[in-house]
Amino acid sequence: MNQLSVQQMRAGFSVCQLPPPLKPPDVLRVIVPSGTLREVDAFHQGIEIWRSRGYHVQLPQNWNAREGYLAGTDSQRRQQLLEACLDPQCRGILCARGGYGSARLLEDWTWPEHLKWLIGFSDITALLWSLSQIGISGVHGPLLTTIAGEPEWSLNRLFDWVEGRPIAPLKGVGWGGGKVSGVLLPANLTVATHLLGTPLQPSLSGVILALEDVTEAPYRIDRMLTQWRMSGAMAGVKGIALGRFSRCAPPKDVPSWSVEEVLRDRIWDLGIPVVSELPFGHDGVNAALPVGQLVELDAEVGTLSWVEG
């Protein structure tokens, strides 16, 4: 695709601004914005992976706090995020884990003026979506508690992206319907569904949704996708990229569709390009996805490609 056509395409979409590329020995700050930290060994392994690249990784004072199922009080967790945003030495924010709780930080929240990387997925969807509303691109990618399980190519993809190098297309299974370009909006389906109709919901016009989930029975996936359809949220979506829906088997001895059958039933008739079985999500490879960047979804060959320009 030539430069002129990329510029023309970008003019029609609200493409987010990329933070400056990271380079060692940049300072990265850790936040624990969601569920209480339980995977302590994996957490420290994740920190070591970033440090082994030459980065200075700083932990917040109350990284191991606990308040019920949350990693500390809302005030403690919000303060971590605020300090990371305001620290002039910090170039990137690494989320420790998901779970639940990041949306609570965004009540009456205004992002400080900053342009730095935010990396995470699952419950971090709320932060990534909110950040995209002020025009800043984050990364839907491995958390500190999951990054040690990534294969080498996935790690390289993440580092390539945040360090300013291009990334290769991801390959899945195309459902047909042609190909389309749009702004990529990755999300955990459950978290995103609970953001619909709130101030945290970005515009869905012209986007390519990238969805994944974990531990949701097929009927609950059905219920969420039906809400998207009936609320009109799907009206402006140009394409859908489906990642892994892990541990989403139906309950034993209960009549049910499989999660794959539910996805077909609730998405196929939308008449837009769809690619499934892409390598992102829980319980497996979680390839980095750039939030708010222009991508091409080819449902004939089954690829999701970043549009460079």
Side-chain angles (χ1 to χ4, degrees), residues 73-141:
T73 65
D74 289 350
S75 178
Q76 287 175 317
R77 292 178 293 114
R78 190 179 288 113
Q79 187 64 25
Q80 289 180 14
L81 179 59
L82 182 62
E83 289 178 358
C85 289
L86 294 178
D87 181 356
Q89 302 302 315
C90 173
R91 295 291 181 264
I93 302 172
L94 306 176
C95 296
R97 78 181 307 274
Y100 168 73
S102 69
R104 293 173 59 118
L105 308 184
L106 298 171
E107 291 185 276
D108 302 317
W109 167 266
T110 300
W111 287 97
E113 289 188 13
H114 79 291
L115 191 60
K116 55 190 70 178
W117 295 96
L118 174 71
I119 303 170
F121 84 113
S122 193
D123 189 63
I124 310 305
T125 294
L127 298 181
L128 294 171
W129 275 29
S130 178
L131 193 61
S132 75
Q133 287 185 291
I134 63 167
I136 298 176
S137 177
V139 182
H140 182 282

Side-chain angles (χ1 to χ4, degrees), residues 26-197:
D26 282 345
V27 172
L28 309 176
R29 293 190 64 147
V30 174
I31 63 171
V32 195
S34 302
T36 185
L37 187 62
R38 303 191 301 270
E39 313 87 345
V40 177
D41 288 345
F43 173 68
H44 287 294
Q45 289 171 6
I47 291 171
E48 182 54 34
I49 286 173
W50 283 94
R51 285 178 173 165
S52 70
R53 299 281 299 190
Y55 291 102
H56 290 300
V57 180
Q58 298 179 352
L59 274 67
Q61 184 175 5
N62 54 350
W63 63 269
N64 59 349
R66 177 171 295 185
E67 186 75 13
Y69 41 74
L70 301 171
T73 65
D74 289 350
S75 178
Q76 287 175 317
R77 292 178 293 114
R78 190 179 288 113
Q79 187 64 25
Q80 289 180 14
L81 179 59
L82 182 62
E83 289 178 358
C85 289
L86 294 178
D87 181 356
Q89 302 302 315
C90 173
R91 295 291 181 264
I93 302 172
L94 306 176
C95 296
R97 78 181 307 274
Y100 168 73
S102 69
R104 293 173 59 118
L105 308 184
L106 298 171
E107 291 185 276
D108 302 317
W109 167 266
T110 300
W111 287 97
E113 289 188 13
H114 79 291
L115 191 60
K116 55 190 70 178
W117 295 96
L118 174 71
I119 303 170
F121 84 113
S122 193
D123 189 63
I124 310 305
T125 294
L127 298 181
L128 294 171
W129 275 29
S130 178
L131 193 61
S132 75
Q133 287 185 291
I134 63 167
I136 298 176
S137 177
V139 182
H140 182 282
L143 299 156
L144 286 174
T145 52
T146 66
I147 192 171
E150 294 297 315
E152 185 176 4
W153 75 262
S154 179
L155 286 175
N156 289 338
R157 176 185 176 87
L158 173 61
F159 292 129
D160 282 344
W161 182 248
V162 298
E163 292 173 356
R165 296 181 292 274
I167 52 176
L170 295 178
K171 186 72 171 69
V173 176
W175 291 13
K179 61 183 177 181
V180 67
S181 295
V183 172
L184 186 65
L185 192 61
N188 173 270
L189 175 61
T190 299
V191 177
T193 301
H194 288 89
L195 299 179
L196 294 179

Side-chain angles (χ1 to χ4, degrees), residues 230-279:
M230 295 184 69
S231 68
M234 286 292 190
V237 172
K238 300 189 69 178
I240 298 179
L242 297 172
R244 194 175 303 102
F245 285 73
S246 58
R247 287 179 276 158
C248 291
K252 290 184 178 180
D253 302 320
V254 175
S256 177
W257 281 327
S258 68
V259 68
E260 292 81 9
E261 289 171 323
V262 168
L263 292 171
R264 284 273 181 180
D265 181 77
R266 295 281 73 194
I267 292 175
W268 175 246
D269 68 345
L270 295 173
I272 57 178
V274 179
V275 175
S276 64
E277 299 183 37
L278 288 160

